Amino acid sequence: MPDAPFSSALVARLADARRVAVLTGAGVSAESGVPTFRDPDGIWARMRPEELASVDGFLANPDLVQAWYAHRRETVGRVTPNAGHDALARLEAAVEARGGTFLVATQNVDGLHQRAGSRSVVELHGSLARQFCIACGTDADGETDGTCVACGGRVRPGVVWFGEALPPEAWDAAENAASRADVFLTVGTSAVVYPAAGLPLVAKRAGAYVAEVNPVPSDIAGALDEVVVGTSGAVLPALVDAVEAVWAGGGTNSADGR
Ligand code: OAD
C-alpha cells in the first residue's frame, strides 16, 4: 500500500488527543456536488458577492437573492454527505467514546455534517435551512412567500453575509474549542474569510497540533504544523482508519519521519 499523505505524527497526536476541533469550509462538500466559492469553477467566479451575500444587495433586489438561496437550498437537498463528512462523524463518535471532546465549526450552510451524523457542529455562517424577518427577527418556515407572518416585514436567508457579525454562541464555542484543542484540523477552506480563518491560528498559538487538509494549500498553510495535500473525501477516511488502527494496537500506516 502506498504511503499515506499524512504524517505518523498527526496520526499519533490524534490517537492521543483528548480535545479535537475541526474547521471546515466549502471544500468538504465539493465531493457531494456542492460548488465551492473561490475555486476556478466556484460560485464567486460566476456571481457577485455584493449582490448575493450582503444586506445592501438583498435590499436592492430581494427577489433575486431569495431565488438564488432557494436554488442553493434545492441543490443541497438533492445531494448527500460524502466520505469526508462521514469520516468526521466517525472520528467524533470514537473520540467521545474514549472520553474526549470533539467540535466541528463549519463555514458551510448546507447541513451536510449533521446529515452525516456529526452531533457537535456549530454553524459559523448560519444555515440555508433558516430564514428570518429583517424587521422583527421571527423565524419563517420553509413555505414562506417572503413576507413575515408576524409583522409583514421581508424574510431573508439565515446566513451570515459580508459585513455581518457571526452568531455569538457559535463563534464563542468555536474559539473556545480552538483554544483548548490538542489537535485542530482545518479542512476544505481557503482560509481567507475572517474571523473563521483565524481559528487554526488561535489553536496553533494555544499549543495544538494543527493540520490542514486541502488539495491546494491555503493562505495560512505556512503557519501550520502540517499540510495534507488531498481531497477531504480521500484523506479523512484514511486518516480516521489510521487512528483507529493505533487504538486497536495495530500501529500506523503513514509516511515516516514527519
Ligand atoms: P472557498 O471556496 O474559499 O475555498 C474552498 C477550499 O476548498 C479551497 O481552498 C479549495 O482548494 C478546497 N477544496 C476544493 N475541493 C476540495 C476537496 N474535495 N476536499 C478538500 N478541499 C477542497 O470556500 P470557504 O473557505 O468555505 O461565506 O469560503 C469561506 C466563506 O466565503 C464561505 O463560508 C462563504 C464564502 O463567501 C459566506 O457566504 C459568508
Side-chain angles (χ1 to χ4, degrees), residues 25-27 30-31 36-39 44 107 125 160 162 188-191 193 214-216 231-232:
E31 287 155 280
T36 63
F37 293 94
R38 293 177 186 79
D39 286 307
W44 296 151
Q107 298 166 88
H125 291 168
V160 175
F162 289 103
T189 177
S190 58
V193 175
N214 199 314
V216 180
T231 69
S232 47

